[in-house]
Structure formats: C-alpha cells, structure tokens
Amino acid sequence: MQNQILLSAQKIKNLYGIHRNTLLKWEAEGLLKPVKTPGGQRRYKKTDIEKLLGLFQEEIVSEPRVILYARVSTKKQEKYLQNQIERLKSYAEREKWNYEVISEIASGVNENRKGLRKLLNHVKQGKVEKVVIEYPDRLARFGYEYLKFFFESFGVELIVINGEQNEEDRTKELAEDLIAIVTSFAAKVYGSRGGRRKN
C-alpha cells in the first residue's frame, strides 16, 4: 500500500481553495475522516480530499487476459525456448495485449506438466480470453484438438502463430517424445508383470 500524504487545513486551503469550515462540514456529514496528531491537530488524507473533489482516480490493475504458452522437451533446447518466448511476446505486443507467459521444459506427451495445469486452471477460473502458441505440438504432442475444444467451451480463443522452428530440432524432439512414450509403456508392462505372483 502506498504511503498516505497527510495535509493540514491550511495546506488544503492553499492547494485547493477549500476553507476549514467546509472540511468540518464534510466531517460532520461523514464524508471525511481526519487523522489526529499527538498534539490533537487534524490532518486529512490527500486522496480523500481529491476523491471528494473528483480529482482522484484509483489505478485499475487488470489481470492479464492473454496467456502466451511456450514449451520445449529438454534442457538442451533452453535457447530455443527463450527465442520462442520472445517471438510470442513480440506478437502480443504488436496486438497491444496485456499478457502472462507460461513456459516449461517438459515432454509434449507428459499429461502432468505444471505449466499446462496452471494454464488449464486459469481457463477454468475465467481469467483468460486468448491462449497463444507457436505450433499445436507446443501445447500437446497428442490430444491437441481435445484441448482446443476445452478452451473453446470456456470461450477462450486459441491462436497458433506458426513461428519459426528448426526442422532438425522438431525431429529430435519428436523422437524424444516417442522414446518417452515407449519408456512409460514398458515401465507399466514390466511393473504389472513384476507384481504378479509366481506359481
């Protein structure tokens, strides 16, 4: 909270031309509440005076209504992640949007991504109007259409800007995501077998 500026009756008269009797009248009407000094003198909040005079407007801080979502699969792609974020920011700034960036390093087949969960919660809470991504696979390797339908059911527009992406990086990332699927599947299969009791 900002520090309140306190003014004496004389200072108010000099600044705004308001007589002390007017201040006392506002007090009696409950429109103004003075602060008493240790010596018993009245001091008035500058914001209270300006509100009564119609001179003060509270600053309205709006929450971001646009989410820029960026993702890469591995730590080795961190530089690409930063470039991806910058391209999304440039796009949003050209549109003059108030935005929030959600970025993460996680496989596109991982359903428990922290950033994705945060994004989905923002959507459910009605805090988002638009979600901007570079490519569909940034949001999810599989199930993109389901997520798009989810956003649309909450009135959220999903914008894909199709930015620049190195084809070699995309191929490597796809391979890593496929390996993650096979690894996860194998762990489940062997885990279930390991849990069986031998005769």
Side-chain angles (χ1 to χ4, degrees):
M1 184 181 291
Q2 294 181 339
N3 294 329
Q4 293 283 357
I5 299 175
L6 300 177
L7 304 174
S8 65
Q10 185 60 47
K11 187 70 174 178
I12 290 171
K13 183 179 180 181
N14 293 341
L15 287 173
Y16 306 105
I18 299 172
H19 195 273
R20 183 173 179 273
N21 290 342
T22 302
L23 297 177
L24 294 174
K25 180 184 176 185
W26 284 346
E27 278 186 51
E29 293 173 350
L31 299 175
L32 195 60
K33 187 176 181 180
V35 176
K36 295 288 183 68
T37 68
Q41 295 180 324
R42 285 176 167 81
R43 293 291 183 269
Y44 301 89
K45 294 177 183 178
K46 182 179 179 183
T47 53
D48 289 348
I49 298 297
E50 292 188 347
K51 282 178 184 177
L52 287 169
L53 296 175
L55 301 175
F56 181 81
Q57 290 186 342
E58 292 186 21
E59 183 180 355
I60 299 173
V61 181
S62 60
E63 289 187 349
R65 304 297 296 177
V66 176
I67 300 293
L68 311 180
Y69 179 80
R71 182 193 65 80
V72 292
S73 292
T74 65
K75 190 78 173 174
K76 292 182 292 185
Q77 297 172 301
E78 198 163 5
K79 183 177 178 182
Y80 169 60
L81 178 62
Q82 294 307 315
N83 291 336
Q84 187 183 152
I85 292 169
E86 289 306 313
R87 287 190 290 270
L88 291 171
K89 282 183 175 180
S90 295
Y91 183 89
E93 286 163 7
R94 285 198 302 271
E95 299 293 332
K96 295 181 169 50
W97 288 336
N98 183 21
Y99 61 83
E100 175 186 348
V101 176
I102 296 178
S103 66
E104 58 188 340
I105 299 174
S107 169
V109 298
N110 182 353
E111 297 175 349
N112 295 313
R113 280 176 275 152
K114 186 177 179 181
L116 180 61
R117 286 187 176 275
K118 181 179 179 181
L119 172 59
L120 296 179
N121 282 331
H122 280 357
V123 170
K124 285 194 297 183
Q125 292 164 11
K127 295 180 178 179
V128 186
E129 291 178 356
K130 303 177 193 296
V131 174
V132 186
I133 57 177
E134 273 209 307
Y135 289 96
D137 62 11
R138 297 304 86 202
L139 191 61
R141 183 66 68 183
F142 305 107
Y144 168 79
E145 291 298 330
Y146 290 109
L147 288 173
K148 182 180 179 183
F149 176 77
F150 173 82
F151 292 152
E152 289 174 349
S153 68
F154 284 92
V156 176
E157 181 184 4
L158 180 58
I159 299 172
V160 182
I161 64 173
N162 292 320
E164 298 174 6
Q165 188 174 21
N166 185 289
E167 190 60 35
E168 183 179 352
D169 288 340
R170 292 190 72 181
T171 302
K172 285 180 180 179
E173 190 175 64
L174 176 58
E176 287 166 352
D177 283 342
L178 291 173
I179 290 170
I181 293 172
V182 173
T183 302
S184 176
F185 180 74
K188 289 178 182 178
V189 170
Y190 288 113
S192 62
R193 286 182 180 178
R196 294 175 185 171
R197 300 178 65 180
K198 294 182 179 179
N199 294 327

